[in-house]
Structure formats: structure tokens, C-alpha cells
Amino acid sequence: MVCAAISVAGGPATSLSRRPALGLHSRRLLWARATSQYTMSRVAPRLSSTMVGAPTPDHDEARAGAQGVPTSTGVKQALISLSDKTDLASLGNGLQSLGFSIISTGGTASSLEAAGVNVTKVEQITHFPEMLDGRVKTLHPSIHGGILARRDQEHHLKALNEHGIGTFDVVVVNLYPFYDKVTSGAISFEDGIENIDIGGPTLIRAAAKNHKDVLVVVDHHDYPALLKYLQEKQADPQFRKMLAWKAFQHVASYDSAVSEWLWKQTNSGDTFPPSFTVPLSMKSTLRYGENPHQKAAFYGDRSLSLVNAGGIATAVQHHGKEMSYNNYLDADAAWNCVSEFENPTCVVVKHTNPCGVASRQDVLEAYRLAVKADPVSAFGGIVAFNTTIDEDLAKEIREFRSPTDGETRMFYEIVVAPGYTEKGLEVLKRKSKTLRILEAKRSGKNMLSLRQVSGGWLAQESDDLAPEDITFTTGSERAPTDSELSDAKFAWLCVKHVKSNAIVIAKDNCMLGMGSGQPNRVDSLRIAFRKAGEAAKGAALASDAFFPFAWKDAVEEACENGIGTIAQPGGSMRDKDAVDCCNKYGVSLLFTGVRHFRH
């Protein structure tokens, strides 16, 4: 049996009837009832800018005496709980110099103390230790009440006073490194679950919601601006709103990673979730969009599926002008195309269409042939290689003259490759101050492809099929020779990257001509033959989709121009006409059973 008496400043001791020892929860309720009878004029040190209490007078007196801080109002509080402790010492010391009392958790508190910052640990406020292996630390009314209370609402402040809860003016939190953990390699499901932050997002959301009264920071780059804002006693509501926006965005991006990871854990066979979020992070603003009157920006995609996926978005720019909107589109098209080839290859792109492609063991020869395919289009285009650019290749790129006149030095917007030798990069930089030199990793496979339409998005699997994945079936009487089949496969890989309607003519691992983007296949075919010229005789022709007609149409016209082999998907109700036409002219006709539309 015990007898308890609680002494409240400004009033007499209040006796509580003799009863068995009470649990902590019951004692708190009694404390709240007792303190509600009096006007509180004392607060626990470093606890509140409003009013605080304590579950026992011993606790209040012990803290006031031990810390030597007068129990008065007006103490400013900052709550700091960080996984990423970058610049933590400067933040803690900065806040302390501004008169803030620092409340912190676990490792953050230890780091602050090591930096010479006085810290009150969260459990000294909640009167609960960390529980459940750290799962519960800050999930407590003494913390969240102090964050969420509106300072302009009297009944909010009264509720805090009644329950002995102090207010927080600054909340600085970042989250468990879930993204890094689940992308660092093999990780068990249980380990992944344990790295999902619960308390952190709750603190951030609470502070961001009450940003009018609480400054919330989730990014260490914002520490200087925060300290300046406080030091100068600024009252800019836009600054608070911006921090709140950043906080909610931070949590949203974090949650999207958790959601994506869990979906993959539970739905391994389904590519398309019922809903999902794409976490985008701005990498740069652009001078303009496709046209000067359109504003634009470039964003990186932080989806888990794109970690180490390579591509232009993660390319390193070594030299040249800043990338433009159209530069990104063209560089992406060139890099995706050249990444398909295993042998040393050069791809030249203009307006996202490959206008020259060549594969050779000698990459210098591949470069010359790729430009020769359409030197007019290549001028001002993008040149991509799937091999390291050394000094010799860099000199060739720098000095090569246009095949049209043998005099004009070729000009390019971008050169992109998987790597450069030191000398190669040095030589290439001297070609032009504006030449953009990019180093990229090979684009990944099995990606989800997204495309925007008005009011929505289209999602599809990436088109990763290569000639090796396809069966080329002979439909004509004459089967192709080994070299003709090789030419057909090369043309087929090229046509996959040309805008529909697409036709590619190729021979000896070199594109001779291409036709793209025409509303009908005949016009694309004629453009391709015009570019290929006499070299088209005996070459292979690939069409991205079937020929709807044969006689006096594209198939017969191709045969009359001396083409040796035609590769097409097939599937037309007039496929037999195409077979008969090719048989008449002795042309080998191959059906792939696969279409490569590109809109």
C-alpha cells in the first residue's frame, strides 16, 4: 500500500486516496486530472514552448535540478531523428546556438552528444524506452501532440497543458535506407520488412501537415537555409510550404519504393499492378522543350526496377553544351539501337531514326560506312558506338569529311559510347566546344515502357526480341543463302528501331537505306531504295509489319529493284500473293512471325 501526493505549482498538494500501486498509464491519468485543477506555471526544463508536466514531481524536480535549467516557458524545441547523419553536427550546434533544446533518438542522440550538443532523449519525454526492437520510439502522444497542435487554437494548447505535452518548432527527420537496402543485392523478405520505416514517415507527415507552426526538414542540403531562416527570424510562409511539400514528396517516393518491392514479392507473374507510382526526381531544367516556346525539364526515374538499368538517363556528360529536350530523345534512340549489337557497331541517328548502321571488326570502318549510308541526314546527328572510343577513332570522328563532297568536316550534336580512353576523350573534346560527349551503360532489358496519352498512360513490356529469339521461316521456293539470311537478320534488327511504317535495306552488316514514318509502306520502301541506290541489288529488305498487298505494290516493286531477300512478319490475308510474287522474281521470302511497330 502506498500513499501518493502530487504537488502542483500555484496550489496545495493534492492527496490521492490510499490504493494499491498503480501502473504508469493509471498514474498518468491521475496526474492529468490533478493538474487540470490548477493553472500550471512550471514546466519541465527543455520540454515545451507552451506548458508541460510530468508523471511525478520527482521527475520534474530531478530534471530541473540535474540540468540546472529554470522551469520557465518559452523553450524552443527541435526534434532530430536521422538515418543519414550528413552534416548533423553543424545542424545540432547551429540549433543549439539559436537557443533550441534538442530532442533526439538512439544513434542520432549519440552522434549529437559526440559533437558537443546537449541532447534530451525521446524516452525522457515519453517515459517509455524504445520497444519492440526499435519499432516503437516516437509513436507517442507526447511527441505527436507537440508536433500536431495548432498554436492558434486555444483548445489545442489547453489539451497539451492538461496532458503535460510540449510543442516542437522544428522537426528534422530522414528515413531508414530502404531503397539502398533492397537494391544492394540479395536481401531476405524479413530483412526488407524490417527496413520499412514507420515512425519516421509519421513524424514527417505530422510536421508537414502542421507546417504553419513546425519547420520540417528531410534533406541535409536544406540545413543552411533552415538555420538562416531561424537566425534572421524570418516569417516567410512560402519557405514553410516548400519544406512541407518536400517532406510529403520524400515520403511519397519512399512509399513508392516499398510498394514496388512488395508487389514484386507477392506478384512475380503479373507485370502490371492495378496501380503504381513512378518516383521521378528532377535532374535538370532544360532550355526549352521540342520547341523554344515550350518549357521543359529532365527527370530521373528512381523505380527499383531501373537500378543499374543503364541508359541515357544515367549517362555521364564529359564535354559540350547542356543537353536539350531533343538531344535526350535522339541520344536515347541512338543508344538503344547500338546497344542491341554484339559486334563493334556505329549507329547514326537523326530525329530518333537510325539513318546509318554498320558493324565491322574495325570500328573505324563501321563509322565510315554508317555515315556513308546517309551523309546528308548524318550531318548534325547523333553518333553512337558500342565500343570504347580510343585515340584513333576519336581522330577519325574529328577529321572525317562528308562523303557528299569530300571536304566538309562532319558535324555532330552528340557522341555517345560506353567508354573513352584518356587520349580519345582529349582528342574528341577538341572537335568542338559544343559537342556533347556522353558515356553510358548498356540499356537494360525487360523494362516497363510508359508513354503518355491525354489523360492517361500506356504501359507495355519493352520490345527486347532480337533476331536470335525469332525463327525465320522460308515461305518462298528459294531459300536464302547463309549470307542472305545474315543480311536479313541485320536488316531486321535495324528496322526494329525505325519509326513505322519502316523499311530497311542492308547488306554485309551495313544499312544501305531506310524509309520511315510514312503513312503507307510503299512510300517508305521508295525512300529506302532511293537512299540505297544500285547497292540495293542482291541486298536484304526488312519490313516492320506485313505487306497488305504484293502485286503492283511494295513486294513487286522491291523484287523489280533487284532485292535478293525480303523479311517480314507475315499475317496478311494476302501472304500467298507475296509468296507468289517472290517466286516469280526468284526472291527469297522470310516470315518472322514477329512485328516491330514503333510509333
Side-chain angles (χ1 to χ4, degrees):
M1 302 288 288
V2 296
C3 180
I6 302 176
S7 178
V8 181
T14 303
S15 296
L16 303 178
S17 59
R18 184 174 297 273
R19 62 190 71 191
L22 299 175
L24 181 58
H25 178 68
S26 298
R27 285 188 282 129
R28 284 182 167 178
L29 289 176
L30 290 171
W31 169 253
R33 290 171 185 166
T35 55
S36 66
Q37 300 174 29
Y38 302 94
T39 301
M40 296 179 64
S41 59
R42 299 179 62 187
V43 296
R46 312 168 104 235
L47 252 181
S48 174
S49 56
T50 310
M51 278 291 194
V52 295
T56 66
D58 293 341
H59 175 80
D60 193 354
E61 296 296 338
R63 287 191 58 193
Q67 298 181 15
V69 179
T71 56
S72 60
T73 61
V75 179
K76 298 177 292 185
Q77 289 195 132
L79 174 65
I80 307 177
S81 181
L82 302 172
S83 290
D84 178 2
K85 298 176 178 59
T86 303
D87 297 331
L88 172 59
S90 61
L91 172 69
N93 282 294
L95 288 171
Q96 185 169 262
S97 69
L98 292 171
F100 277 84
S101 219
I102 310 299
I103 315 301
S104 192
T105 60
T108 306
S110 300
S111 296
L112 285 167
E113 289 172 336
V117 179
N118 295 323
V119 178
T120 297
K121 295 183 178 179
V122 164
E123 52 264 38
Q124 293 177 259
I125 294 179
T126 62
H127 312 296
F128 272 102
E130 290 187 10
M131 298 174 62
L132 311 179
D133 300 318
R135 285 190 170 200
V136 178
K137 287 182 280 191
T138 59
L139 297 171
H140 193 281
S142 293
I143 301 298
H144 287 277
I147 296 173
L148 284 166
R150 290 179 56 179
R151 317 301 155 81
D152 60 353
Q153 296 294 317
E154 186 177 347
H155 65 286
H156 281 205
L157 300 180
K158 181 178 179 182
L160 294 187
N161 290 342
E162 288 176 350
H163 296 285
I165 297 173
T167 56
F168 289 94
D169 304 284
V170 175
V171 171
V172 185
V173 177
N174 57 45
L175 307 176
Y176 292 168
F178 177 84
Y179 184 95
D180 294 335
K181 285 286 186 181
V182 298
T183 59
S184 61
I187 182 173
S188 68
F189 181 78
E190 291 74 17
D191 196 14
I193 289 295
E194 287 308 311
N195 276 280
I196 298 174
D197 203 322
I198 301 301
T202 309
L203 289 170
I204 292 170
R205 290 174 62 86
K209 177 174 181 176
N210 201 27
H211 63 270
K212 181 180 177 182
D213 297 312
V214 183
L215 289 160
V216 57
V217 179
V218 296
D219 183 352
H220 67 88
H221 292 106
D222 292 327
Y223 294 171
L226 169 70
L227 294 174
K228 181 181 179 182
Y229 181 92
L230 293 170
Q231 186 176 22
E232 296 178 358
K233 298 181 180 179
Q234 298 178 25
D236 181 8
Q238 290 304 118
F239 180 74
R240 290 177 173 273
K241 289 177 182 177
M242 181 58 69
L243 289 179
W245 165 81
K246 198 168 186 177
F248 278 117
Q249 185 60 44
H250 181 66
V251 174
S253 179
Y254 188 89
D255 286 344
S256 74
V258 175
S259 174
E260 182 183 357
W261 179 76
L262 276 173
W263 172 258
K264 289 181 179 179
Q265 300 295 315
T266 56
N267 292 274
S268 57
D270 195 341
T271 304
F272 306 105
S275 64
F276 66 100
T277 302
V278 179
L280 301 180
S281 178
M282 182 186 286
K283 300 190 75 170
S284 64
T285 55
L286 306 177
R287 285 179 296 157
Y288 50 80
E290 283 188 282
N291 302 290
H293 64 275
Q294 295 172 273
K295 294 181 180 179
F298 179 59
Y299 290 82
D301 188 339
R302 285 182 53 81
S303 296
L304 299 179
S305 59
L306 294 183
V307 173
N308 299 320
I312 289 299
T314 58
V316 176
Q317 183 172 351
H318 291 294
H319 181 71
K321 289 175 62 176
E322 65 185 63
M323 293 282 286
S324 71
Y325 184 97
N326 293 330
N327 287 155
Y328 276 113
L329 292 176
D330 289 336
D332 185 58
W335 185 242
N336 288 339
C337 183
V338 80
S339 294
E340 294 262 31
F341 295 85
E342 296 300 328
N343 293 325
T345 300
C346 175
V347 171
V348 183
V349 159
K350 192 68 167 289
H351 295 307
T352 72
N353 277 299
C355 55
V357 183
S359 296
R360 289 290 188 277
Q361 287 306 311
D362 181 0
V363 72
L364 274 73
E365 184 184 1
Y367 165 63
R368 298 185 195 110
L369 290 171
V371 175
K372 185 180 177 182
D374 188 351
V376 175
S377 297
F379 194 88
I382 285 77
V383 184
F385 298 88
N386 62 355
T387 61
T388 298
I389 294 181
D390 60 14
E391 183 179 5
D392 290 339
L393 180 54
K395 286 180 178 178
E396 188 69 11
I397 297 169
R398 188 184 69 182
E399 301 298 336
F400 189 67
R401 310 292 165 156
S402 173
T404 57
D405 60 14
E407 295 181 1
T408 304
R409 184 179 292 175
M410 292 299 295
F411 163 75
Y412 305 116
E413 291 278 354
I414 301 169
V415 174
V416 55
Y420 301 83
T421 65
E422 185 177 347
K423 263 298 191 187
L425 189 58
E426 180 184 326
V427 169
L428 203 54
K429 286 180 178 179
R430 293 202 297 266
K431 179 173 176 61
S432 166
K433 291 182 179 180
T434 62
L435 176 66
R436 301 161 181 87
I437 302 175
L438 304 183
E439 181 176 332
K441 295 180 181 178
R442 176 168 287 208
S443 301
K445 303 293 184 181
N446 302 314
M447 299 291 106
L448 187 65
S449 174
L450 297 175
R451 190 166 182 177
Q452 190 172 17
V453 296
S454 298
W457 293 81
L458 293 169
Q460 67 173 349
E461 296 174 331
S462 55
D463 184 359
D464 295 329
L465 288 180
E468 295 74 24
D469 306 314
I470 297 170
T471 301
F472 287 74
T473 304
T474 303
S476 58
E477 293 173 355
R478 186 178 79 80
T481 65
D482 288 344
S483 62
E484 286 177 326
L485 180 59
S486 176
D487 290 342
K489 288 182 176 180
F490 183 88
W492 187 252
L493 190 52
C494 292
V495 83
K496 169 183 173 180
H497 293 272
V498 178
K499 292 292 191 296
S500 302
N501 287 304
I503 297 290
V504 166
I505 299 172
K507 189 174 184 179
D508 193 22
N509 292 325
C510 178
M511 178 191 285
L512 304 175
M514 53 78 74
S516 66
Q518 301 304 305
N520 67 77
R521 201 157 295 279
V522 176
D523 283 346
S524 289
L525 180 135
R526 289 171 179 167
I527 292 171
F529 272 107
R530 187 172 72 245
K531 293 178 181 295
E534 289 300 311
K537 295 189 183 303
L541 181 150
S543 173
D544 66 336
F546 65 64
F547 293 103
F549 302 98
W551 301 108
K552 296 182 180 181
D553 204 272
V555 176
E556 187 169 24
E557 195 165 319
C559 294
E560 290 174 341
N561 277 281
I563 209 74
T565 303
I566 295 176
Q568 62 138 324
S572 167
M573 61 186 297
R574 296 182 180 85
D575 276 351
K576 188 177 184 305
D577 288 349
V579 172
D580 292 342
C581 184
C582 287
N583 286 339
K584 174 184 175 181
Y585 289 91
V587 173
S588 174
L589 178 62
L590 298 170
F591 292 112
T592 65
V594 172
R595 189 180 73 184
H596 280 310
F597 263 167
R598 180 176 289 267
H599 288 83

